[in-house]
Amino acid sequence: MSLKFLESENMQNENIMNRTFASFVNKENIGQNLTLIGWLEDFRDMGKIGFITLRDMTGNFQGVLAGEILSNFREIPRQSVIMVIGSIQDTRAASFQTEVKVQSVKLLSRAVNPLPIDPTGRVKSSMDKRLDSRALDLRDHHISSIFKIRSLVLNLIRNFLCSRMFVEVNTPKIIGSATEGGADLFGFEYFSKKAYLAQSPQLYKEQLTLALERVFEISSYFRAEPSHTVRHLSEFVSVDLEAAFLDYGEIMDIVQDLVISIINDLFAHREKDMALFYNKQEIKIDRIPRISYEKCLEDLKGLSEKLEFGDDLSDPALKKLGEIYPSFYFIVDWPTKLKPFYILEHEKKSELSRSFDLQYGNLEIVSGGTREHDVQRLRNKLVEKGLDPKSFSDHLQTFEWGMPPHSGFGLGFDRFMMIITNSTNIREVVLYPRDTDRLTP
Ligand code: ATP
């Protein structure tokens, strides 16, 4: 008999609606007839009897086939989508509680053979090959778990910030002028004008504090930096926050509470998922130390990495600091000249700014600080940084409408996910990464 009889043209919707998910089947179902749908992960043909492993979004289940069903089954390529109907019975298999004795099989969608990569992960493929077939790559349980946890973390962040009275906002990503100055913007033609893709929501989120007080935004931003690293992408997701009447110390408290609550929540309630990434609870934090930029210079001096005050912390310097502080730590009070024009300086020590970065080892996750809210000083700052206040007139005028003192941060969400999933390359935690070489799929 040809396989055609299995290839259903009039799929019975009722059966699909009545399907049971793999992980919901247990010993209480023994004796019942159930419909299960999934991707054919494995087929072991023992001659008179065959075993299949089918996978759905909840897990795997085992089916046992015999007779005509088994002989027809031999033609079905792995990773095809099939629907099986059968009775649930006890099993001797160690990794399953029960199995389904298959009474009928329908091939719902045939997969090509061979596939471009092995989605079971048994045969390893290069990162490039995997990204070229990303939708298929996600059938690997470890990889799909990264994105399920990513979705969960987004929810946790939203819940945490809403519980602290922050309002979620959406600001434009098509903008008419450079947000912070600098050359790393993607420009394009916008009708008859020149437009850019936003590199951050910095100016908008500051403006919004004058009416909404506390705002946050989770969105993609774009940087035209030709970086070839494992921590930079041309398009990345950032969690941005801005709050009126809070100082950078209080903003660091928020970052600390947010990070600790998420990590502890994941290790406490998603143990099984986290075990995919860590052997045990390897990240343990109850507070995040605050280390001044100047103390970092001293630490580095002791490690024969000599930097002068005002030097940026280079990659080798951050690597050495990461060896002293392998977990989360803040670097606070950066030299004013290293920070953007909108960061406020210390009143009595203007060479230092009210700023911080959150690091995890050598990886920068968050950048934040108290903002300058005095319009005249802000104009002067723009000039000092070589920027033209006229190009910021829309922004500057809002500072004359009762702008509150305010502070905020930007958290690189993809980098945060690298830590949560113990990934060494940002491309592992982004579905369709964009970098200098990759624009597809
Ligand atoms: P870096 O020095 O690592 O290039 P940055 O100082 O340019 O980062 P900010 O402009 O301060 O970064 O942005 C805030 C946060 O956004 C960073 O701490 C980082 O987590 C994230 N981020 C910035 N640029 C990128 C990028 N190209 N790819 C991924 N994440 C990024």
Side-chain angles (χ1 to χ4, degrees), residues 318-337:
L318 286 173
K319 199 157 175 263
K320 286 192 175 158
L321 277 180
E323 283 160 19
I324 314 178
Y325 309 107
S327 184
F328 288 102
Y329 61 103
F330 289 106
I331 303 179
V332 303
D333 298 334
W334 288 75
T336 306
K337 71 168 205 178

Side-chain angles (χ1 to χ4, degrees), residues 115 122 142 185 329:
L115 288 161
R122 279 182 216 129
H142 183 104
L185 284 164
Y329 61 103

Side-chain angles (χ1 to χ4, degrees), residues 180 184 199-200 221-225 227 229 231-240 312 315 318 339-340 342 357-359 363-368 409-416 426:
E180 303 181 23
D184 48 355
Q199 62 186 163
S200 92
Y221 295 96
F222 308 89
R223 304 261 169 115
E225 328 161 289
S227 307
T229 76
R231 62 181 199 280
H232 288 96
L233 291 175
S234 315
E235 178 176 355
F236 66 97
V237 172
S238 172
V239 177
D240 273 272
D312 205 351
D315 280 353
L318 286 173
K339 288 291 169 185
Y342 48 80
D357 281 4
L358 175 72
Q359 296 281 137
L363 187 65
E364 178 192 322
I365 313 290
V366 178
S367 198
F409 69 75
L411 173 150
F413 182 65
D414 309 308
R415 291 193 190 173
F416 188 45
I426 195 167

Side-chain angles (χ1 to χ4, degrees), residues 272-319:
K272 229 167 120 189
D273 294 302
M274 294 309 282
L276 288 171
F277 313 124
Y278 288 96
N279 291 330
K280 49 186 185 334
Q281 178 154 2
E282 281 169 42
I283 314 178
K284 276 208 179 109
I285 25 166
D286 46 25
R287 61 172 284 282
I288 301 179
R290 298 174 188 189
I291 297 149
S292 72
Y293 165 88
E294 287 171 297
K295 167 81 169 68
C296 289
L297 293 194
E298 274 172 38
D299 287 340
L300 287 166
K301 212 165 156 193
L303 296 169
S304 355
E305 186 76 34
K306 261 192 112 186
L307 292 177
E308 299 298 327
F309 179 86
D311 288 343
D312 205 351
L313 301 181
S314 59
D315 280 353
L318 286 173
K319 199 157 175 263

Side-chain angles (χ1 to χ4, degrees), residues 2 5 27 81-82 91-92 110 119 129 162-163 168 173 186 216 270 277 293 300 310 361 377 401 423:
S2 97
F5 94 104
K27 288 204 185 290
V81 187
I82 59 175
T91 181
R92 286 201 207 140
R110 177 189 288 271
K129 266 190 104 179
C162 291
S163 75
E168 183 164 7
K173 304 301 155 236
F186 289 107
F216 77 98
R270 302 300 289 239
F277 313 124
Y293 165 88
L300 287 166
R377 287 204 302 255
W401 300 342
S423 303

